[in-house]
């Protein structure tokens, strides 16, 4: 694997300097930026697209916190641990649920318009594997409303956001961060800083059928890996059970909150076949098996209507989507699983630290161990605000002692002159997605994974010779790491299901870590 895979010369590029760079403008990045600014550090936020195009902004269901009168962080902790199937790092889960209440109260104070009951109390709902109603929501656009609220505060405070630039290289020296190379496709820039925060989301878009925001693909995880960051638990990919299923159309999410309010899952005969509020991995596999048997699966909305819940009022985003496809009057919505949330990522602490000095990771791009082998619903937005807040303090502390490199001389020359056409790029990208969906999806086995590895390696050898293949090569490296992780875990646990090893192995209650040159180990945290 190459350390750098683009051509650049820091001596010839325009040079900028900022205290801290944040890559990504979703909820994790914005939270970190806001708190850094409050601490006196003006970060530079860099994003591929405009703010608002992120997975956290797409989050429909809500944000979980033990804020109800019959709830307690200890109960939230136990629910999270149970969902995680033995792989949650318990001390990190404690931080998440205990500090989560405080951070959610911050959001209320910021003005996030969470839904309320007639008496002014928070209207809480439940989702899969929660034992209490603890999910705060704003209709079915919770992520968007939280993100919009924080974004407006950031604009008021004058924090700089640079759009339409993407990360190509993380520059390091002796395992210490120096700066980044970013590009908008026409111009490259070299930006030096004391620290870097990665907040770029997960890698569910590696899969053909996914609910990911446009342009959120996971390639920055691979950029971080090339820079020396350890990757962790990549085999654990959460497939959302209920994404709209229309042949040839994108997999639009139908929130778990719809089932939380009473919607049922039925097969072609109109019969229930699974407890709708079981952990997501179990529900998703039950639906997937129905499709393998030639059946179809539908979300039955009649129980909601019988309760007097109006879809257009409680779930306006979903209703609008259904209306676009002619299902606004239907009681039965065709659904099937789609890759939705990735539990693995860049190994990080609850304060964002990675093993590369000066590089921090927060949100879905990271793996802190709080989700174990299966994320508890609506804990992801909580992770963004809790760990984003904490990461800001760690970055502040790091910056106090870090010295910036004065004269950086790093050069990488790509000798090949071959260029991939747009059509070739599209073909290779679709090939990656197809391999991952068919052979590294909800149900896996050794034969499928070996075939996937062979095909991914073939793509790696092909793209290797093209000078404009950085994005694809990073996706190939990441796909390879996911496949190797899945091959190495010879058991079924949480979201990772092996048909050739269908049971949990108590001896494998360990975390998968991928070191330099795809060296893979199972370790206890």
């Amino acid at each position: 694997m190459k350390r750098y895979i683009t051509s650049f010369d820091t001596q010839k590029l325009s040079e900028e300097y900022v205290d801290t760079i944040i890559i990504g403008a979703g909820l994790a990045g914005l939270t970190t930026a806001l708190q850094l600014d409050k601490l006196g550090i003006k970060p530079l936020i860099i994003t591929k697209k405009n703010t608002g195009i992120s997975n956290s902004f797409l989050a429909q269901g809500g944000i979980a916190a033990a804020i109800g009168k019959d709830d307690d962080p200890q109960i939230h902790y136990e629910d999270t641990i149970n969902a995680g199937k033995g792989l949650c790092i318990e001390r990190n889960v404690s931080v998440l649920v205990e500090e989560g209440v405080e951070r959610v109260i911050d959001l209320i104070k910021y003005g996030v318009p969470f839904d309320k009951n007639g008496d002014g109390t928070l209207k809480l709902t439940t989702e899969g594997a929660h034992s209490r109603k603890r999910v705060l929501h704003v209709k079915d656009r919770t992520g968007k409303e939280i993100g919009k609220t924080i974004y407006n505060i950031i604009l008021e405070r004058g924090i700089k956001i640079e759009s339409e630039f993407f990360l190509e290289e993380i520059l390091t020296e002796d395992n210490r961060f120096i700066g980044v190379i970013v590009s908008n496709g026409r111009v490259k820039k070299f930006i030096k800083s004391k620290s870097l925060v990665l907040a770029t989301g997960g890698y569910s878009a590696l899969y053909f059928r996914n609910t990911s925001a446009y342009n959120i693909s996971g390639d920055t995880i691979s950029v971080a890996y090339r820079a020396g960051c350890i990757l962790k638990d990549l085999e654990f990919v959460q497939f959302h059970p209920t994404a709209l299923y229309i042949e040839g159309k994108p997999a639009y999410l139908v929130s778990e909150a719809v089932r939380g309010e009473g919607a049922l899952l039925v097969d072609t005969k109109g019969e229930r076949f699974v407890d709708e509020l079981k952990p997501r991995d179990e529900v998703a596999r039950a639906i997937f098996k129905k499709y393998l048997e030639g059946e179809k699966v539908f979300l039955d909305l009649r129980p909601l209507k019988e309760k007097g819940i109006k879809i257009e009022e409680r779930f306006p985003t979903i209703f609008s989507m259904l209306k676009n496809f002619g299902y606004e009057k239907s009681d039965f919505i065709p659904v099937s699983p789609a890759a939705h949330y990735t539990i693995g990522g860049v190994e990080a602490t609850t304060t964002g630290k990675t093993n590369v000095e000066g590089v921090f990771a927060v949100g879905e791009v990271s793996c802190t161990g709080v989700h174990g082998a299966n994320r508890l619903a609506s804990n992801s937005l909580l992770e963004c605000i809790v760990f984003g807040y904490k990461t800001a303090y760690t970055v502040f502390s790091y910056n106090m002692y870090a010295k910036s490199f004065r004269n950086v001389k790093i050069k990488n020359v790509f000798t090949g002159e071959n260029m991939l056409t747009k059509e070739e790029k599209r073909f290779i990208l679709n090939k990656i997605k197809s391999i991952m969906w068919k052979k590294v999806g909800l149900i896996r086995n050794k034969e499928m994974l070996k075939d996937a590895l062979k095909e991914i390696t073939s793509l790696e050898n092909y793209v290797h010779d093209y000078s404009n293949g950085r994005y694809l090569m990073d996706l190939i490296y990441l796909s390879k790491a996911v496949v190797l992780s899945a091959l190495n875990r010879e058991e079924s646990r949480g979201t990772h299901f092996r048909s050739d090893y269908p049971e949990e192995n108590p001896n494998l209650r360990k975390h998968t870590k991928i070191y330099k040159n795809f060296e893979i180990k199972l370790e206890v945290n």
Side-chain angles (χ1 to χ4, degrees):
M1 185 182 74
K2 293 182 178 179
R3 169 63 181 90
Y4 297 115
I5 55 178
T6 60
S7 291
F8 65 90
D9 184 345
T10 57
Q11 295 290 290
K12 294 181 179 179
L13 291 173
S14 61
E15 185 175 303
E16 299 179 23
Y17 177 80
V18 297
D19 277 338
T20 298
I21 301 165
I22 297 175
I23 308 288
L27 188 54
L30 294 179
T31 300
T32 308
L34 176 57
Q35 199 57 34
L36 276 173
D37 186 67
K38 289 182 177 181
L39 294 171
I41 293 178
K42 284 286 185 187
L44 170 64
I45 300 173
I46 298 174
T47 177
K48 283 183 180 179
K49 289 291 180 180
N50 294 326
T51 304
I53 302 178
S54 73
N55 289 337
S56 55
F57 273 66
L58 288 180
Q60 296 175 357
I63 181 168
I67 201 167
K69 63 181 182 180
D70 66 337
D71 206 353
D72 185 88
Q74 179 62 29
I75 303 173
H76 189 182
Y77 168 89
E78 291 166 1
D79 289 348
T80 301
I81 295 295
N82 290 336
K85 300 295 183 183
L87 278 193
C88 291
I89 298 177
E90 295 179 2
R91 61 185 181 276
N92 293 356
V93 176
S94 293
V95 172
L96 178 73
V97 300
E98 289 168 6
E99 297 188 18
V101 176
E102 298 169 13
R103 299 290 78 79
V104 164
I105 291 172
D106 286 343
L107 295 181
I108 295 170
K109 290 168 62 181
Y110 290 156
V112 176
F114 290 117
D115 293 343
K116 295 181 179 179
N117 297 306
D119 61 0
T121 57
L122 290 167
K123 184 180 285 186
L124 304 174
T125 190
T126 188
E127 292 185 353
H130 285 276
S131 62
R132 296 288 189 277
K133 288 188 175 184
R134 67 167 64 96
V135 180
L136 297 83
H137 51 84
V138 185
K139 306 294 184 185
D140 62 349
R141 52 176 184 269
T142 310
K144 182 178 180 180
E145 291 296 332
I146 295 174
K148 186 172 69 174
T149 300
I150 296 177
Y151 176 62
N152 287 336
I153 297 172
I154 277 177
L155 289 181
E156 291 171 4
R157 299 181 72 96
I159 298 172
K160 186 178 180 183
I161 300 177
E162 194 148 355
S163 301
E164 298 188 358
F165 274 85
F166 46 87
L167 179 67
E168 286 196 338
E169 305 286 358
I170 297 172
L171 308 185
T172 58
E173 185 175 289
D174 297 328
N175 201 46
R176 181 184 158 197
F177 173 70
I178 299 173
V180 297
I181 303 293
V182 296
S183 172
N184 64 2
R186 302 179 301 277
V187 177
K188 288 181 189 287
K189 294 201 298 185
F190 169 42
I191 307 175
K192 290 198 299 183
S193 70
K194 292 179 179 179
S195 51
L196 169 69
V197 179
L198 297 174
T200 50
Y203 49 95
S204 62
L206 286 179
Y207 289 84
F208 189 76
R209 186 167 162 77
N210 69 80
T211 63
S212 185
Y214 175 71
N215 253 7
I216 308 298
S217 58
D219 61 298
T220 53
I221 296 175
S222 188
V223 178
Y225 179 56
R226 290 192 284 108
C229 288
I230 297 168
L231 303 185
K232 181 175 176 179
D233 290 345
L234 296 179
E235 67 269 36
F236 296 112
V237 177
Q238 191 171 65
F239 292 82
H240 199 287
T242 53
L244 183 67
Y245 182 69
I246 299 175
E247 194 71 38
K249 299 296 181 182
Y252 291 102
L253 183 68
V254 181
S255 170
E256 187 160 342
V258 177
R259 283 175 282 135
E261 296 286 9
L264 303 175
L265 287 167
V266 297
D267 58 20
T268 309
K269 305 180 191 73
E271 297 175 352
R272 289 180 69 192
F273 57 92
V274 67
D275 179 348
E276 289 81 5
L277 294 182
K278 277 188 172 182
R280 285 180 176 176
D281 62 306
E282 297 180 39
V283 179
R285 278 196 298 274
I287 295 172
F288 187 67
K289 287 176 181 177
K290 282 289 181 181
Y291 275 91
L292 291 179
E293 295 166 1
E295 293 255 14
K296 288 187 177 180
V297 173
F298 302 87
L299 202 57
D300 182 356
L301 302 180
R302 291 176 300 176
L304 276 74
K305 296 177 182 179
E306 290 167 4
K307 289 181 179 180
I309 297 173
K310 295 182 178 180
I311 307 298
E312 63 271 26
E313 292 179 4
R314 173 65 178 87
F315 302 105
T317 304
I318 294 171
F319 181 79
S320 178
M321 178 268 292
L322 293 177
K323 189 174 181 180
N324 288 339
F325 292 101
Y327 281 96
E328 74 274 18
K329 296 181 181 179
S330 178
D331 288 332
F332 297 92
I333 310 303
V335 293
S336 81
H340 176 60
Y341 185 89
T342 47
I343 290 167
V346 176
E347 183 179 38
T349 66
T350 59
T351 59
K353 286 184 179 180
T354 72
N355 64 296
V356 176
E357 189 177 342
V359 176
F360 301 81
V362 64
E364 194 178 354
V365 71
S366 70
C367 181
T368 61
V370 293
H371 305 306
N374 188 25
R375 174 181 66 104
L376 183 65
S378 290
N379 268 357
S380 50
L381 292 184
L382 191 68
E383 178 185 27
C384 290
I385 63 166
V386 172
F387 297 162
Y389 183 95
K390 294 178 73 65
T391 295
Y393 281 88
T394 310
V395 170
F396 179 87
S397 177
Y398 176 84
N399 280 11
M400 285 197 298
Y401 300 99
K403 295 180 180 179
S404 59
F405 287 82
R406 292 183 178 179
N407 189 23
V408 178
K409 294 182 180 180
I410 300 179
K411 180 180 180 180
N412 188 63
V413 179
F414 196 95
T415 55
E417 297 181 359
N418 296 330
M419 300 278 284
L420 290 164
T421 65
K422 285 184 178 180
E423 291 72 21
E424 287 172 322
K425 285 183 177 180
R426 190 178 302 113
F427 174 82
I428 294 168
L429 180 59
N430 287 334
K431 182 69 174 175
I432 294 169
K433 290 173 178 282
S434 178
I435 293 167
M436 296 299 288
W437 178 253
K438 292 178 180 178
K439 298 179 180 179
V440 202
L442 284 93
I443 298 176
R444 309 159 174 179
N445 61 48
K446 184 176 182 178
E447 183 179 355
M448 295 164 68
L449 293 169
K450 286 280 190 182
D451 285 346
L453 183 60
K454 182 178 179 180
E455 292 184 59
I456 291 292
T457 302
S458 177
L459 289 176
E460 178 184 357
N461 294 334
Y462 180 76
V463 177
H464 184 274
D465 295 326
Y466 289 89
S467 60
N468 63 338
R470 194 284 307 171
Y471 175 71
L472 290 171
M473 186 58 81
D474 274 327
L475 294 185
I476 288 168
Y477 285 153
L478 181 57
S479 299
K480 185 175 182 178
V482 174
V483 174
L484 287 170
S485 299
L487 261 173
N488 194 59
R489 184 172 291 279
E490 295 182 334
E491 67 161 351
S492 291
R493 185 183 294 271
T495 64
H496 170 70
F497 185 80
R498 290 274 301 257
S499 58
D500 48 348
Y501 295 95
E503 304 296 331
E504 283 186 16
N505 182 342
N507 296 322
L508 295 181
R509 196 172 172 178
K510 301 175 182 179
H511 294 273
T512 304
K513 296 188 182 182
I514 299 185
Y515 295 87
K516 188 176 180 180
N517 293 322
F518 298 101
E519 180 188 3
I520 190 164
K521 296 180 181 179
L522 281 169
E523 298 179 1
V524 177
N525 273 77

